[in-house]
Amino acid sequence: MLDLPKEFLSRMENMLGDGYDGFIKSYAKESLRTLRINTLKTDGEAVKKAFSLTPVDWRKDGYYYDEEQRPGKSAMHEFGAFYIQEASAMAVVENLDVKEGDIVLDLCAAPGGKSTQIACALNSTGLLISNEIISSRAKILSQNVERCGVRNCVVINESPKTLSQRFCGIFDKILVDAPCSGEGMFRKNPSAIEEWSIDNVRLCKERQLDILDDAVKMLKSGGRIVYSTCTFSKQENEEVIDEFLSKYPHFEVAPAKYQFCNGFAIDGGLHNDSLALTQRIFPHKFDGEGHFFAVLQDVSEERKIKYSLQCSKISQSQIKIFNDWQKENLNTEFVANLAFGNSLYSIPDCVPSLDKLKVERAGLHLGSIIKDRFEPSHSLALALKPQQAKRTIQLNEKDALKFIGGEALPFFGEKGWTLAVYEGLTAGWCKCDGNYAKNHYPKGLRK
């Protein structure tokens, strides 16, 4: 049994009453392992054949798996077939109600589970801006966006306050997966226990309210914010929502798509009735870790907001070199409309100006121009469908592992850039010379 803080246990007993014993017993159970199929890259049939999976009730592409199977070590995971994501966390984006064409902000996005889930809902339309304030975590976020083949995401490394000063009223949906005291992760991540304290709970609440203030400034009228935490504290959950509703009366709590446990009333609160629409996921009642979320709907009248778009920064010569390459190697067309030096990117037309922001990933990295020739990026390979490349090489399981290791493969086929494919998943580029496929899998990712 975990050595849980006494103050935490006392508070949970007061909160849960008769349900406390069941809650405590849940800590003697192993955490369940879950993954979510990445529908940008696969329909999931190959994943279901490779592993023994059990569906998650509240997410149609979510599945539990046995720990012994270790899917995170597989080539399928490496090529973006799925994301290892906690089951409770999957419920949050479901309630953001993302539609194709939406402009969406994931304000506290690392490591990327919820961002890549949003990307699946957008289905390569609209725009996703994924922000992470910590630089090292923003890099991990960017890597996961790349692995999952996301085309329409800009990854930014800024504070929420900085973004709120730049992106006024432009987002249809905003996810605030707020930094919290992490009580819901005690079972899965025991190290969180050592970092917990009553003072940290209080500090988290202050930070969470500040982040929500910034989110409101960036939301379109009629837009939606989903606030979530992985903690049990009323201070960080219902009290935050109670204070938010008091400050912003043009918001209301909307019902959740899937009913978990109702939120708790706050003594003396102004919005106790609507707090019952907030949702809690308890590990003794559902097959997942501790989570809380609230769907905050703006019901104000429409207001028109003007904002500057990202200017095209690319030369005609760069565009020509790329277009010549894609005519020779692809059965589809990408628009190269942004360049940083010799690196070319494709970004949606609706991207707001990114000037003077710390941008980790400016949309889809197409590749680089080296001595007047174009060399495609790993990001482009992972974003393609197999049929979109003029040449492919099919990998079996043994070849897939060699490919990840950086080995060249025998291939007696047409010369040129060739897309490696494993179980229907695009895996990376090869450069074929007629006898061998020279491996261009990034050295930093080789295993």
Side-chain angles (χ1 to χ4, degrees):
M1 177 66 72
L2 296 173
D3 186 15
L4 298 168
K6 291 181 180 179
E7 298 96 331
F8 167 73
L9 293 174
S10 176
R11 192 192 70 209
M12 293 306 298
E13 186 172 14
N14 290 334
M15 182 189 297
L16 294 174
D18 293 341
Y20 178 71
D21 287 344
F23 174 77
I24 290 301
K25 288 177 181 177
S26 72
Y27 282 94
K29 299 178 181 178
E30 288 288 328
S31 279
L32 295 172
R33 305 296 197 272
T34 46
L35 60 82
R36 176 180 48 78
I37 301 295
N38 176 22
T39 55
L40 291 176
K41 296 208 67 172
T42 178
D43 61 7
E45 291 306 312
V47 180
K48 294 173 189 176
K49 289 179 182 178
F51 306 102
S52 177
L53 304 177
T54 304
V56 172
D57 287 345
W58 51 88
R59 183 69 198 181
K60 64 181 180 181
D61 52 11
Y63 295 89
Y64 300 99
Y65 64 87
D66 294 332
E67 184 179 5
E68 301 78 35
Q69 296 183 85
R70 299 174 69 84
K73 300 292 185 182
S74 69
M76 283 188 178
H77 178 264
E78 192 74 14
F79 303 149
F82 52 84
Y83 194 103
I84 304 294
Q85 184 179 17
E86 208 283 308
S88 298
M90 297 179 193
V92 176
V93 172
E94 186 81 9
N95 286 278
L96 196 58
D97 197 27
V98 175
K99 308 295 186 187
E100 291 190 8
D102 277 348
I103 300 176
V104 185
L105 171 64
D106 187 353
L107 195 48
C108 314
K114 295 181 178 70
S115 273
T116 53
Q117 190 176 347
I118 291 169
C120 288
L122 286 172
N123 194 26
S124 299
T125 67
L127 170 67
L128 169 61
I129 292 184
S130 297
N131 180 66
E132 172 55 44
I133 191 171
I134 300 173
S135 178
S136 59
R137 286 170 57 81
K139 287 179 169 55
I140 294 170
L141 168 62
S142 182
Q143 289 167 1
N144 280 321
V145 166
E146 175 182 80
R147 183 177 62 82
C148 291
V150 180
R151 299 184 179 191
N152 57 334
C153 180
V154 174
V155 177
I156 297 178
N157 171 214
E158 292 285 1
S159 70
K161 186 164 294 297
T162 296
L163 295 189
S164 70
Q165 294 168 352
R166 291 288 301 275
F167 299 154
C168 180
I170 70 173
F171 293 102
D172 298 293
K173 314 282 168 62
I174 298 178
L175 175 60
V176 177
D177 187 35
C180 68
S181 59
E183 296 169 1
M185 293 292 110
F186 283 174
R187 182 172 69 169
K188 185 176 181 180
N189 182 19
S191 64
I193 299 172
E194 301 173 8
E195 301 171 7
W196 184 90
S197 71
I198 293 293
D199 285 342
N200 189 41
V201 170
R202 176 180 55 80
L203 290 171
C204 285
K205 178 184 176 181
E206 294 173 2
R207 187 184 304 123
Q208 290 152 359
L209 286 167
D210 287 343
I211 293 172
L212 279 172
D213 285 341
D214 293 323
V216 169
K217 296 173 185 175
M218 294 186 279
L219 190 71
K220 288 180 181 177
S221 58
R224 171 171 290 198
I225 296 172
V226 172
Y227 172 83
S228 69
T229 71
C230 57
T231 196
F232 299 115
S233 163
K234 280 188 184 181
Q235 282 180 274
E236 300 175 70
N237 295 332
E238 288 89 351
E239 287 186 21
V240 166
I241 300 305
D242 193 47
E243 292 188 32
F244 176 86
L245 294 173
S246 298
K247 188 172 184 178
Y248 301 104
H250 58 288
F251 278 86
E252 62 183 23
V253 181
K257 289 186 175 183
Y258 185 99
Q259 190 67 26
F260 293 97
C261 297
N262 291 342
F264 293 94
I266 301 296
D267 293 339
L270 299 177
H271 298 274
N272 287 353
D273 290 344
S274 59
L275 289 180
L277 292 175
T278 65
Q279 296 292 299
R280 283 179 171 270
I281 305 176
F282 287 108
H284 63 297
K285 293 194 173 185
F286 299 93
D287 290 333
E289 302 305 314
H291 232 79
F292 170 91
F293 67 88
V295 182
L296 303 170
Q297 185 66 44
D298 181 357
V299 294
S300 62
E301 295 182 2
E302 183 178 357
R303 56 189 184 277
K304 293 184 178 180
I305 302 292
K306 293 183 178 180
Y307 63 95
S308 58
L309 296 173
Q310 176 65 34
C311 296
S312 177
K313 299 177 181 177
I314 188 168
S315 69
Q316 289 302 310
S317 62
Q318 289 174 319
I319 292 174
K320 184 179 185 308
I321 290 171
F322 170 68
N323 283 344
D324 288 345
W325 179 88
Q326 67 174 343
K327 285 178 184 178
E328 180 182 343
N329 296 283
L330 301 181
N331 295 319
T332 188
E333 291 185 5
F334 289 87
V335 176
N337 52 9
L338 186 65
F340 290 101
N342 290 325
S343 291
L344 307 189
Y345 292 81
S346 179
I347 61 170
D349 293 336
C350 55
V351 172
S353 174
L354 303 174
D355 287 347
K356 298 181 180 179
L357 292 175
K358 289 180 283 186
V359 177
E360 182 68 33
R361 185 180 194 81
L364 176 61
H365 182 208
L366 299 169
S368 302
I369 294 175
I370 302 172
K371 296 180 180 179
D372 294 329
R373 59 180 176 79
F374 180 78
E375 184 163 312
S377 71
H378 188 57
S379 296
L380 178 58
L382 295 180
L384 288 166
K385 303 289 186 184
Q387 64 270 22
Q388 292 177 320
K390 291 193 174 178
R391 291 170 294 277
T392 59
I393 176 174
Q394 300 296 322
L395 307 178
N396 57 33
E397 185 173 0
K398 185 177 179 181
D399 287 338
L401 296 175
K402 288 182 178 180
F403 186 73
I404 294 171
E407 293 185 35
L409 301 171
F411 182 66
F412 303 103
E414 186 180 349
K415 295 181 180 180
W417 287 100
T418 303
L419 194 60
V421 178
Y422 172 66
E423 292 287 358
L425 301 163
T426 53
W429 291 109
C430 296
K431 188 73 175 291
C432 297
D433 63 7
N435 295 308
Y436 278 90
K438 182 181 178 182
N439 195 329
H440 280 256
Y441 202 77
K443 291 182 180 179
L445 298 178
R446 294 178 183 179
K447 297 175 181 178

